[in-house]
Amino acid sequence: MAYYLRRLLGVLATLLVVSLLVFSLLQLAPGDPATVVAGPDATPEQIAAVRANLGLDAPFLSRYGGWLGDALRGDLGTSYTLGQPVTDLIGQRLGSTLQLVIAAMLLMGVLSAAAGVVLATGRNGAVRAAVDYLTTLALSVPPFVSSIILIFAFAVIWQVLPSGGEASITADPGGALRFLVLPALALALPNAAVLARLLATDMRRSLQEEYVLTARAKGASRRRIVWRHALPASLNLYIVQLGINFGNLIGGALVVEAIFARAGIGGLLVDAVTTRDYPTAQAVLLLTVAAAILAQMVSEMVIARVDPRVKARAAR
Amino acid sequence: MITTVHNTPDGEPVLRVRGLTAVLDLPTGPATALHELDFDIGAGEILGVVGESGSGKSLTSLAVMRMLPDAARVTAGQILLHGEDLLTKSEKDMRRLRGRHLGIVFQDPLAYLHPLKRVGAQLRESLTVHAATRAQAATRALELLKLVGIPDAEQRIDDYPHQFSGGMRQRVMIAMAVAHNPSLLIADEPTTALDVTIQAEILRVLVRLRDELGTAVMLITHDIGVVEDTCDRVLVMYAGRIAEQAGTGTLLKSPRHPYTRELLRSVPHLNTPLLDRLPAIPGQPPDPRNRPAGCPFHDRCPDVRDRCTREMPPLERVDADPGHSVACWVAPDTPVQIAAPAGGERRTGRPETEVILSVEDVRVWYTSRRWPWSTEVVPAVDGVTFQARQGTAVGLVGESGCGKSTLAKAILGLQPVTSGRLTVAGREWSGADSHQRAALRRTVQMVFQDPYASLNPRMTVGDSIAEPLRNYHLAGRSQLAGAVRELLDQVGLPARYADSYPYQLSGGQRQRVGIARALAVSPKLIVADEPVSALDVSVQAQVINLFDDLRDRTGVGYVFITHDLAVARHMCDDILVMYAGRIVESGPASAIFANPSHPYTRTLLASAPGSGLTKDTGLKPASGTRPTGGCRFRDRCPVGPAANPQRTVCAERDPALDAVGPRHHAACHFAERDDR
């Protein structure tokens, strides 16, 4: 228990640092939201008034403190440009991104685990070579290229899946899934390829470990050795990487959403940054970073469950 | 019940190996790894297999298990288990035999147990893969843990391997191997990674299981003492061949093969007179890629004849003894006795030389911090005082975890001391600035245990040795090569090795390089942590002699950390016995080995291999927590309150290190005096 509590304290500290970074980075970027809000024909006096109105003339630290205090109470501020509460804006779009990331995460896990085990232990040379080739291909094509290839193949040539858009997951689950397949695949493929390689390398190493010899000496079958001995031993590294790649998925999702015309938080962020809409941009950035950090924390906690030595080591 | 006992009527051996030949597929082409091995193991018999690295002893065991690595394959011969040839079995049939009729225990139990699975689960797996039900497996797993002597088996069964001590892990390995009462149990260096006291316990477990279950045991070891204590018969392997085979008593007393004879002579023993130099076998065991023609031992053999260089001698029966056979052209005509070889009596007493290391009441406490506001203190070294003089060797002995390595680190300045004074050549580590520390580092150097890991594989031998010279600007660019040559010469290596890389060298040669590197800055003190334990037996003596020579030649002082008491007795002038961070006994080696005073020292000596396993030392197993206050050893002590409840003083008062003889001290309320 103490182990998890210590990890949680660490995460909270990291989040605090991140919030300061997010806040200051945007403010340091050139451009003034007051000029955007006041419009192109505004006089300097009008801009100054808008600035005072938005609270931008207060000292940096007091603005940060105020924002952080509000954020902790659940108030992320009001969008400068849209005039709506940021929490509402995010709320409207979060579901779409969440669906995409979760679908990609599942695909990534399944594809990488299957490909990794085949690469490490497959006894059919041709199958192994094919998987090897496909992972290399997936590894070298970034999501914005694979998206276009997938759209071209499945939406333009064969016309089996929609090229873009989305449907409500509650009203039309089947339709929503059809819209999800291509973007989730585009997002998952390069990450899955990295993970598969990693798992394969680590499993090959695990299969060389001495305890595998012990298992053979017991009379265990090869299948048992692969699935019950080598795979669990390699899951550690795999889970860590899964947590790290979750961050990649979120970053990639913002791009893929644009290509597949999905109304997720990616579009919100791009608009907010270009119009210097600090409250919205800060909130979206903080949210995505927090999600990535939390994913890593979860992966570390899973490892602590899987590998009893982790906790013992941390306690030392 | 899922156990089966295989009786062997009419004395048929359990395992019969005939003409076993195996090759290793190396990048340079196939090389013969095992050459026409013939041997038997009967039910209830322990066959010792002795040999150095590359002799093929582990390969033989893996061949019997049919678990050879991909690069090795059997090309001829038969491996008959109860008369059935294992070499003709399918992999599926072998799977049924492994774990059931064939059990194996490997050297390093931590590596050979799955780190993420509970001990109980791993034990149960041994049973369920051979069709035991879960319930049967659960019952039997607990039974097995008790059989191998795990205390509190009910509680420990759900622990993970990392929560077990080394000896307990090895017991678990043995439990898995004997889960089905196999007809043959192979133990491949089962005690090499363990402390002597634990080693004796594990060997006792093996012998007991043999007695109770009638198992045939193949015990692979490099340690003659282990053979002496446990084996009925011995097989001596050299370069993939059987050099000699005989009953243990015969082999130890009147070996025929020059290799066996020289090997027995070169190993320091606790009960033989001390010699000035060990009679070492020259050279190294041959590389499997490049074995000499004729007898593989001929280039190291003192009795070599012309014929030995051309023709390979067959393994032939020695006429007088049906159980004794030897592969040597010379041996059969010349039975030899292991008499005290030439070399002279060991010099005793050295002139009082300058004190180079002074340790005064040194404590090293490790603090671990779980929370920023709370700390936990582990006293690794707890109030140690001793001195080392120039040209002498101090031996630090004790079980793992006694603090000897931490003390060594403190002497080297790698670990700050918590309190006390540690002075090397008149200067103290604590409070020294970086300039003074650099100067101190020149006076004390280290030789490491593992000659493979302690040399940078990407640096030539010459560069490794020259590095300290460069760091201290001790030799200009033009002088470096000469200085390196001189150092190589000092450790007995030809100058051409300067351009070699570590992988091109044997273990013994690498250790010589490590010594040369330590000598480069002309230190006053060398700390050596188990410097010969990773070396082949026949090479150990060479390196021990080298240490002796260097001391006599350069006047350097040594602090040797070793678990091998016979080596400590041979090499060291003074001995410090450590237990739980303290010195429990100190004094001249002669006094300590002749009259061990502290009960802990006495159990260590009684547990040393070659001392026999029959006598019970009375040592209690270590529990997880050490007692605090009073004597730290009392919970395990054979004469303390655990055995004699009326001796309450042990828990009440901390025993001081009191004199029990001239320069001989022991920290025990019931210490035995030299003049007893």
Side-chain angles (χ1 to χ4, degrees):
Chain A
M1 202 53 235
Y3 172 79
Y4 297 110
L5 215 59
R6 276 204 311 272
R7 301 295 320 160
L8 196 66
L9 280 180
V11 166
L12 289 178
T14 315
L15 279 177
L16 194 70
V17 173
V18 166
S19 73
L20 183 64
L21 276 176
V22 164
F23 190 82
S24 49
L25 273 179
L26 280 171
Q27 311 262 332
L28 287 174
D32 184 350
T35 53
V36 180
V37 173
D41 304 326
T43 61
E45 290 74 30
Q46 285 173 313
I47 292 174
V50 168
R51 187 174 290 132
N53 194 25
L54 293 175
L56 287 170
D57 49 359
F60 175 81
L61 272 180
S62 90
R63 272 184 290 144
Y64 170 68
W67 171 71
L68 190 67
D70 287 345
L72 286 176
R73 282 192 296 273
D75 176 10
L76 290 167
T78 307
S79 164
Y80 293 166
T81 48
L82 302 170
Q84 279 178 294
V86 173
T87 40
D88 289 359
L89 287 172
I90 291 177
Q92 290 156 14
R93 291 155 166 260
L94 189 62
S96 165
T97 304
L98 224 50
Q99 283 169 35
L100 177 60
V101 171
I102 288 171
M105 185 85 181
L106 289 175
L107 268 176
M108 178 172 84
V110 171
L111 289 177
S112 62
V117 172
V118 169
L119 277 178
T121 67
R123 271 187 287 187
N124 184 329
V127 172
R128 222 175 45 223
V131 174
D132 192 25
Y133 177 76
L134 286 174
T135 51
T136 311
L137 191 69
L139 198 64
S140 44
V141 182
F144 60 86
V145 177
S146 57
S147 298
I148 291 162
I149 295 171
L150 286 171
I151 291 174
F152 190 67
F154 291 97
V156 178
I157 298 181
W158 292 311
Q159 302 191 349
V160 285
L161 288 166
S163 66
E166 59 194 303
S168 159
I169 191 108
T170 42
D172 178 13
L177 280 181
R178 274 171 53 82
F179 280 111
L180 268 176
V181 173
L182 289 185
L185 202 58
L187 193 52
L189 275 179
N191 290 298
V194 174
L195 277 172
R197 293 258 168 208
L198 191 88
L199 181 64
T201 311
D202 202 60
M203 267 189 83
R204 276 191 214 108
R205 188 191 53 73
S206 292
L207 284 167
Q208 300 292 317
E209 293 281 353
E210 278 94 347
Y211 50 75
V212 165
L213 226 51
T214 306
R216 278 187 72 196
K218 284 177 182 176
S221 60
R222 187 179 156 80
R223 176 185 297 171
R224 193 179 169 88
I225 287 169
V226 168
W227 292 99
R228 297 297 194 83
H229 291 264
L231 185 64
S234 291
L235 277 183
N236 253 349
L237 194 61
Y238 178 75
I239 293 168
V240 175
Q241 199 61 35
L242 210 62
I244 293 171
N245 278 38
F246 185 76
N248 287 356
L249 287 185
I250 297 174
L254 305 187
V255 176
V256 170
E257 275 173 2
I259 296 172
F260 285 92
R262 295 174 62 87
I265 57 170
L268 191 64
L269 179 65
V270 173
D271 289 348
V273 170
T274 47
T275 60
R276 309 286 153 212
D277 183 0
Y278 290 164
T280 312
Q282 283 161 4
V284 173
L285 277 177
L286 192 62
L287 189 73
T288 50
V289 175
I293 291 174
L294 284 175
Q296 275 196 53
M297 187 185 78
V298 168
S299 71
E300 278 179 31
M301 288 183 169
V302 171
I303 290 165
R305 292 286 303 170
V306 175
D307 187 345
R309 292 170 303 174
V310 172
K311 271 190 274 183
R313 225 175 285 140
R316 233 180 279 139
Chain B
M1 208 58 248
I2 26 182
T3 56
T4 38
V5 178
H6 306 276
N7 291 315
T8 47
D10 56 273
E12 169 81 3
V14 172
L15 183 76
R16 169 165 283 190
V17 173
R18 287 293 172 269
L20 181 64
T21 301
V23 297
L24 269 176
D25 290 311
L26 297 169
T28 47
T32 307
L34 300 176
H35 185 83
E36 293 182 3
L37 304 187
D38 289 329
F39 63 91
D40 297 340
I41 311 179
E45 182 181 48
I46 301 185
L47 175 74
V49 180
V50 180
E52 303 177 81
S53 54
S55 66
K57 54 195 200 303
S58 291
L59 222 48
T60 308
S61 70
L62 291 176
V64 173
M65 294 294 290
R66 283 270 312 273
M67 281 169 52
L68 283 175
D70 291 341
R73 61 200 151 85
V74 172
T75 51
Q78 287 181 312
I79 300 172
L80 304 163
L81 184 75
H82 295 299
E84 286 183 56
D85 191 355
L86 298 182
L87 293 172
T88 59
K89 300 252 180 236
S90 69
E91 176 59 25
K92 206 171 154 203
D93 287 341
M94 276 312 297
R95 236 161 49 209
R96 269 187 222 120
L97 289 172
R98 283 185 209 125
R100 220 151 60 121
H101 298 239
L102 297 167
I104 187 164
V105 177
F106 298 100
Q107 175 174 347
D108 177 3
L110 187 58
Y112 282 94
L113 286 169
H114 199 290
L116 309 182
K117 289 164 168 264
R118 293 174 199 277
V119 162
Q122 302 194 45
L123 257 172
R124 288 191 294 273
E125 186 185 29
S126 298
L127 300 150
T128 51
V129 291
H130 295 293
T133 65
R134 278 164 179 281
Q136 281 171 330
T139 323
R140 176 79 177 140
L142 198 59
E143 234 174 75
L144 284 165
L145 278 188
K146 288 178 183 161
L147 178 73
V148 294
I150 303 260
D152 305 325
E154 285 88 352
Q155 278 89 53
R156 303 305 305 269
I157 196 164
D158 287 326
D159 280 355
Y160 288 94
H162 74 269
Q163 294 168 301
F164 274 55
S165 67
M168 290 296 154
R169 285 182 204 130
Q170 195 58 293
R171 284 168 200 261
V172 173
M173 285 295 294
I174 295 174
M176 294 198 305
V178 301
H180 295 270
N181 293 357
S183 349
L184 176 68
L185 176 66
I186 300 173
D188 189 349
E189 302 270 9
T191 57
T192 305
L194 305 174
D195 284 319
V196 279
T197 52
I198 314 290
Q199 163 163 292
E201 283 170 27
I202 295 292
L203 292 176
R204 258 184 234 121
V205 170
L206 279 178
V207 170
R208 182 166 55 81
L209 290 175
R210 183 270 312 260
D211 293 343
E212 285 173 14
L213 311 174
T215 317
V217 181
M218 177 172 170
L219 178 65
I220 297 172
T221 180
H222 67 280
D223 192 327
I224 307 288
V226 169
V227 169
E228 198 177 336
D229 289 343
T230 51
C231 299
D232 302 303
R233 276 190 313 119
V234 193
L235 203 68
V236 179
M237 289 189 71
Y238 191 83
R241 313 187 69 219
I242 296 175
E244 185 163 10
Q245 179 170 197
T248 305
T250 314
L251 190 105
L252 293 178
K253 277 195 209 73
S254 45
R256 291 295 181 104
H257 200 289
Y259 172 63
T260 317
R261 186 190 68 213
E262 296 299 317
L263 196 64
L264 290 172
R265 272 187 187 169
S266 70
V267 179
H269 202 280
L270 276 175
N271 306 321
T272 52
L274 277 175
L275 302 168
D276 223 13
R277 288 175 65 82
L278 292 172
I281 308 177
Q284 352 273 336
D287 191 314
R289 282 166 293 193
N290 187 18
R291 281 181 180 151
C295 171
F297 187 60
H298 80 252
D299 56 344
R300 304 175 74 191
C301 184
D303 304 339
V304 63
R305 288 180 200 171
D306 213 25
R307 191 179 188 185
C308 308
T309 62
R310 293 188 317 263
E311 289 173 68
M312 181 127 57
L315 187 68
E316 278 178 343
R317 191 158 289 175
V318 176
D319 332 295
D321 181 354
H324 193 168
S325 47
V326 61
C328 179
W329 293 124
V330 186
D333 335 326
T334 53
V336 279
Q337 294 292 314
I338 296 273
E345 185 66 11
R346 182 158 183 108
R347 71 262 172 276
T348 44
R350 284 168 205 282
E352 288 278 289
T353 47
E354 184 197 344
V355 172
I356 41 168
L357 170 71
S358 162
V359 178
E360 289 166 55
D361 200 27
V362 161
R363 274 161 230 275
V364 181
W365 290 3
Y366 290 120
T367 49
S368 62
R369 203 171 276 267
R370 293 195 68 171
W371 299 97
W373 55 88
S374 79
T375 53
E376 211 176 318
V377 176
V378 181
V381 175
D382 201 13
V384 163
T385 303
F386 72 95
Q387 290 184 334
R389 292 174 183 276
Q390 205 176 3
T392 66
V394 174
L396 272 178
V397 300
E399 293 168 294
S400 53
C402 72
K404 53 192 198 299
S405 293
T406 304
L407 183 57
K409 276 191 202 160
I411 294 170
L412 288 158
L414 301 173
Q415 169 71 45
V417 299
T418 313
S419 72
R421 277 167 63 88
L422 204 158
T423 324
V424 183
R427 275 181 287 203
E428 252 188 282
W429 279 111
S430 52
D433 60 30
S434 62
H435 197 71
Q436 291 164 321
R437 292 181 79 81
L440 259 167
R441 271 207 185 96
R442 261 192 72 179
T443 61
V444 49
Q445 288 286 308
M446 172 100 186
V447 172
F448 298 91
Q449 173 174 14
D450 184 347
Y452 295 83
S454 58
L455 291 177
N456 186 334
R458 300 198 203 299
M459 276 165 79
T460 63
V461 162
D463 284 339
S464 279
I465 297 175
E467 199 178 22
L469 295 171
R470 286 205 187 94
N471 289 346
Y472 285 99
H473 311 290
L474 294 181
R477 196 178 287 266
S478 54
Q479 302 156 303
L480 263 183
V484 167
R485 218 176 305 127
E486 204 172 295
L487 284 162
L488 283 172
D489 185 55
Q490 276 205 45
V491 297
L493 288 176
R496 63 190 154 85
Y497 280 32
D499 297 323
S500 308
Y501 284 91
Y503 75 91
Q504 295 167 306
L505 271 56
S506 72
Q509 290 169 332
R510 283 179 228 213
Q511 196 60 306
R512 286 171 190 267
V513 174
I515 296 169
R517 182 176 57 182
L519 284 175
V521 294
S522 317
K524 296 206 149 121
L525 180 70
I526 288 181
V527 178
D529 191 348
E530 301 276 7
V532 297
S533 67
L535 303 179
D536 274 319
V537 182
S538 75
V539 179
Q540 277 192 11
Q542 297 172 10
V543 175
I544 291 173
N545 285 341
L546 175 64
F547 272 112
D548 277 348
D549 293 347
L550 290 172
R551 167 173 59 184
D552 296 343
R553 224 183 301 146
T554 65
V556 67
Y558 296 128
V559 172
F560 280 115
I561 297 174
T562 178
H563 71 283
D564 190 328
L565 297 167
V567 168
R569 174 171 173 259
H570 174 83
M571 292 175 91
C572 299
D573 303 276
D574 290 326
I575 300 285
L576 305 172
V577 183
M578 282 188 79
Y579 186 83
R582 303 177 163 206
I583 293 177
V584 295
E585 183 163 359
S586 69
S590 51
I592 289 193
F593 285 102
N595 299 311
S597 171
H598 196 284
Y600 178 62
T601 314
R602 292 203 297 273
T603 47
L604 277 186
L605 283 169
S607 310
S611 315
L613 289 175
T614 41
K615 54 179 176 262
D616 182 12
T617 58
L619 183 71
K620 311 282 179 290
S623 64
T625 50
R626 278 178 189 156
T628 50
C631 176
R632 303 313 198 249
F633 183 57
R634 66 175 184 274
D635 59 332
R636 300 181 63 197
C637 184
V639 303
N644 303 304
Q646 78 280 8
R647 291 187 163 174
T648 50
V649 63
C650 301
E652 289 155 8
R653 271 194 305 122
D654 205 352
L657 200 57
D658 288 328
V660 292
R663 288 187 60 228
H664 184 185
H665 300 262
C668 175
H669 296 301
F670 302 95
E672 304 211 359
R673 299 190 54 83
D674 284 0
D675 48 24
R676 71 188 97 143

